[in-house]
Every structure is written in C-alpha cells, then in structure tokens.
Amino acid sequence: MDKRPIGIFDSGVGGITVLKEIKNKMPNENIIYIGDTQNFPYGNKSKEEIIKFSIENVNKLLKKDVKIIVIACGTATSQALGVLKEKFDIPIIGIIEPTVKYIKSKNYQKVGVIATEGTIKNGAWERKLKEKIPNIQVINKACPMLATIAEEGKAKSKEGKKVIKEYMKPFKSEKIDKIILGCTHFPIYEQIIRDELGYEVELINTGNTISNELQTYLIENSIENNDKNATINIYLTKKEEQFENIAQNILK
Ligand code: DGL
C-alpha cells in the first residue's frame, strides 16, 4: 500500500476528463492535478517548449511527493514522454500507448484520430499504431481550435458546433466508426460529435484506457491506496475564471 498521491498534468482543463476516469476506477487514491494554464494552449507550441513545460510540471509534482505521473495530455505525451522517461526515475505514463494497446486488443483495422495540431504534425499516434498493428489504416485530423474553445467554456456554443461540423467531414464522408479522442479536451465534445456524425460511433476516450493501465501498474507494484478519505487537489499555474465550472461539469 502507498498513500502518496497520483500526479496528473495537462495544459488546462482537458486532463480533468482523465482525472474523472481515474477517480471512478480508483476512488481511494489521492490525486494532485496540475493545469498549466499559464502556458495553455500546448497544441500550437514547439516541441522544445512542450518539453520545457512538461519538465516543470513533473518537478512541481515531485515536490508534492507523488508516486507516479500521468500525462493527461496528448500533445505532451507525443512530444515529451520519451525525454521525461529518460530524465526522471519516477514511473510516467502517457495517453498514447495504453490506447494503442486497447485498439490492438480489439483488432481494429481502421481508426480516425483527432488531436491538436502539434500532436498530428508529430505523427505519434499513427507511428505507435502502425508499430503494433502494421496494416492499420489511420485517418488523422488536426483540430486546432477545439482545446481553446473548450478551455473558454464554449464547447457547447454555436462556435463549438460549427468547428466540429468542419472537423468531422473526413470521418463523416467515409463513415469512420472508431475515432480516438487524441486530445484530452475532446471528450467535452462527445455528444456534439455524436450528433454531428449521426451514426453509431465509438469515441475512444484516452482517460479510460490510461486508467486501466494505471490500475494494473499500481496493483502489480503493490502501490495502490485504500484511503476512504482520499482527496483531489487541483493547482493551476495561472488563475482561470472558467476552470472550476468546466471541471465541475466534467466531474458532475
Ligand atoms: N489537452 C491537451 C492535449 O491532450 C492539450 C491541448 C492544448 O493545450 O492545446 O493535447
């Protein structure tokens, strides 16, 4: 047993979609969350900047004595996970590998991926998918505006619906029915995406896949917690008016 908290970070409120899944699955774990709102959005920043911000986030979490770190951010996973793993001794997991594992276990041969511009340009999703499932067909779509609109609390507005309509075009025309939500802000749009596509679609939530992986890791290494009064502490690097409302909506 290990009472130390799980550390989670993202650029903003998106990672709360991951926190939610972790909390549902492991209610007795203490959690420390950092939303790096000062440097939001990550999606349009250079790899060097993402690495710098990610190192700062990890250092802050280490000061809180966390036992493991979850990168609840597709952009930071795709661009900084390798460097972080080399630099730090603490176990660190990102959202891509657990999701690829899930897709392989389901034997899917064709998937869509939506993510930030930085993540799609970096090509990490397609590369990792093809490493494990060589014949898989991947339809990528960068969605540069989604994280910002969600962070401003406007996901469900006209503006949110309008951009979803545009971004869903390549999937809708081919009736792609499995789409990875490759940015952790995107589960906020789940219903809007379903409404726009209008057919049965599996929207693969990385919070789900990563929380399965995390739970297995904690059990295998005997570092899970059974605290009935476990707490969640959320820190932002810059005050953000909308954050609490959006987080509460996600966490219900
Ligand atoms: N939630 C993040 C991701 O998963 C970052 C979005 C952003 O800051 O641009 O990619």
Side-chain angles (χ1 to χ4, degrees), residues 32-202:
I32 305 268
Y33 181 96
I34 293 179
D36 188 13
T37 41
Q38 171 89 40
N39 295 308
F40 179 88
Y42 280 7
N44 61 2
K45 304 277 182 347
S46 70
K47 182 171 178 163
E48 290 67 32
E49 285 173 293
I50 301 301
I51 290 173
K52 179 174 167 278
F53 303 150
S54 299
I55 290 174
E56 285 166 5
N57 294 331
V58 170
N59 277 324
K60 284 178 189 149
L61 289 169
L62 289 177
K63 285 201 184 121
K64 297 281 177 194
D65 195 27
V66 298
K67 58 185 168 188
I68 187 164
I69 289 174
V70 172
I71 308 181
C73 172
T75 313
T77 300
S78 67
Q79 308 195 32
L81 178 62
V83 176
L84 296 180
K85 278 191 165 175
E86 262 178 37
K87 193 172 165 65
F88 296 99
D89 279 338
I90 186 159
I92 303 179
I93 49 179
I95 65 168
I96 298 182
E97 275 173 31
T99 310
V100 170
K101 241 190 224 174
Y102 167 79
I103 289 168
K104 188 173 162 69
S105 76
K106 292 283 188 180
N107 205 16
Y108 294 159
Q109 295 299 317
K110 192 174 188 179
V111 291
V113 179
I114 54 174
T116 63
E117 199 163 17
T119 303
I120 296 295
K121 269 198 189 140
N122 171 283
W125 279 104
E126 180 152 3
R127 211 166 42 245
K128 294 277 175 196
L129 283 161
K130 289 198 163 151
E131 248 173 45
K132 298 279 185 248
I133 316 158
N135 295 325
I136 194 164
Q137 206 183 325
V138 184
I139 296 103
N140 292 289
K141 178 74 187 157
C143 304
M145 286 157 76
L146 287 189
T148 301
I149 295 173
E151 194 77 16
E152 288 170 352
K154 295 186 193 146
K156 293 176 180 121
S157 70
K158 261 193 189 160
E159 193 187 357
K161 288 179 187 157
K162 196 171 144 213
V163 289
I164 287 288
K165 197 177 179 66
E166 182 59 34
Y167 292 149
M168 286 303 121
K169 277 184 186 159
F171 306 112
K172 200 171 177 177
S173 61
E174 282 197 58
K175 274 215 162 180
I176 304 296
D177 62 357
K178 289 155 191 77
I179 301 175
I180 299 171
L181 305 177
C183 165
T184 54
H185 280 74
F186 295 0
I188 298 172
Y189 293 92
E190 181 173 344
Q191 195 52 51
I192 301 169
I193 295 175
R194 289 190 191 286
D195 292 346
E196 171 56 27
L197 292 177
Y199 54 81
E200 187 77 13
V201 59
E202 180 180 355

